[in-house]
Amino acid sequence: MIFAKSVGNKLLYSDVQKYINANLTTDLHSLLLKKSPFSEVSMQEIVQQIKGKQVAEKKFPFLLKEGIIFPPQLNLEQASSEKTAVYKSEILKGKKFIDLTSGFGIDAYYLSKNFDEVTLVEQNAELLAIVENNWTVLGRKARFINQKLEDFLNENEENFDVIYMDPARRDNNKNKVFLLEDLSPDILQIQKKLLSISDEVVIKLSPLIDLKYLVSVLQNISRIDIIAWKNDVKEIVVFLSSKESEEIICNCVNLESEESTFNYKFGEEENAHSEYAEPEKFIYIPNNSILKAGVFNLISENFKVKKLHPNTHLYTSNEKVEDFPGRILEAEIIDSKQIKKKSQFNIISKNYPLKPEEIKKKYGLKDGGDHYLIFTQSKKGKIILKSV
Ligand SMILES: C[S@@+](CC[C@H](N)C(=O)[O-])C[C@H]1O[C@@H](n2cnc3c(N)ncnc32)[C@H](O)[C@@H]1O
């Protein structure tokens, strides 16, 4: 077993840190063209720290502290955000936690909070040394293991309460079908082994992954969380259990919204039916975690709202359904002739031939404001709805 080597701390010299902090808003391209004022620290290394602090401000503000070191851009991009990590941390508890793909350790830092013993495995030695430095600064203890997780698993004789993994994409081809085999590690190869040494295996996956495909290839799934933040789906998190589970509970979450979580059992959508209607007083736009889950009929049934059209994922009712997981608008149908040029609207296009940009051009509209124009189709044909 190889433990992480400690990070060189030239970047932490006070004059270097002063220079970094003085250049947080400097144009990084022009900075890169300059010669570093320090003989032992290159300008690339300085710029890496500045970028890190800029990313941390939005993504992980808990790291904006003296003594923290930031890794290269790719590791910053691959790291989870503090917001989603906090959500996941509230679900997990136990004695022994291991993150087999530590990366920059954001997930591990939060997810391991409710555990007594923490182990981080990471193949990238430089990255793990940075994490070790940062955890020391933050006053957190862990065992840091610099190894390929496959090798670690071959040597390992321990059991864990929770194994966490956030596999990396092998390539950046976004158009390709997203399969588990495209990830490192290949979960399909190790899932049996993981379930033999841990009660629970929690895997973070990209929002691009197909849920039906996941259920068809992974063993013992007990739970799937579809996590959006401000209506942007960020993660699919799959929970595997060492005990065979009879059902898979799915949770559609929209963090930092007033909307409550929508839970359902995987497969329920298959037997659910929508009622259809022309637009009534209220229009409902499901949040994107619901749309990703594809539970279009189930939400019609559960919330007693009627769907506008089989391919239009908009719903309607006369009585307001306050706890609907999405945006609720009071709206009326208008004629296109009623749309005044240069007026300001948030434009939504759902199951409509024109995209919002094209609609804006066609009607000479401005973006924004408090009102919505929805271009869509009901069973009777194309319609325009205006929020009141
Ligand atoms: C997406 S990142 C993890 C980010 C992390 N969850 C965070 O919040 O910072 C995936 C990490 O897994 C590591 N990794 C991928 N395959 C691995 C393997 N076979 N063994 C060990 N580490 C691996 C990569 O080097 C990368 O740092």
Side-chain angles (χ1 to χ4, degrees), residues 330-334 345 371-374 384-388:
E330 207 178 315
E332 60 189 18
I333 294 183
I334 58 162
F345 286 102
H371 289 280
Y372 288 82
L373 271 188
I374 307 175
I384 305 169
L385 290 155
K386 180 171 159 281
S387 67
V388 293

Side-chain angles (χ1 to χ4, degrees), residues 79-80 101-107 122-123 148-150 166 184:
S80 287
T101 55
S102 154
F104 190 32
I106 306 297
D107 276 326
E122 168 58 52
Q123 64 189 3
K148 272 199 151 296
L149 67 91
E150 293 82 354
D166 173 9
S184 171

Side-chain angles (χ1 to χ4, degrees), residues 193-259:
K193 173 83 186 161
L194 299 176
L195 285 169
S196 72
I197 57 164
S198 183
D199 296 340
E200 203 161 23
V201 177
V202 182
I203 309 164
K204 173 186 156 184
L205 295 164
S206 150
L208 297 177
I209 204 120
D210 182 70
L211 300 189
K212 280 191 184 143
Y213 158 72
L214 270 189
V215 171
S216 73
V217 294
L218 285 177
Q219 294 174 346
N220 292 20
I221 303 182
S222 60
R223 169 176 176 162
I224 301 176
D225 282 24
I226 300 134
I227 310 172
W229 179 69
K230 291 191 174 170
N231 209 20
D232 189 4
V233 181
K234 298 282 185 195
E235 301 178 6
I236 304 283
V237 181
V238 189
F239 297 70
L240 312 182
S241 166
S242 59
K243 294 172 214 95
E244 215 169 301
S245 30
E246 278 173 15
E247 53 198 29
I248 302 170
I249 302 295
C250 300
N251 299 296
C252 301
V253 189
N254 189 12
L255 300 175
E256 258 176 64
S257 77
E258 303 280 288
E259 296 153 22

Side-chain angles (χ1 to χ4, degrees), residues 113-128:
K113 277 200 160 165
N114 298 321
F115 292 81
D116 304 329
E117 287 174 40
V118 180
T119 307
L120 271 60
V121 178
E122 168 58 52
Q123 64 189 3
N124 177 336
E126 283 77 27
L127 181 58
L128 192 62

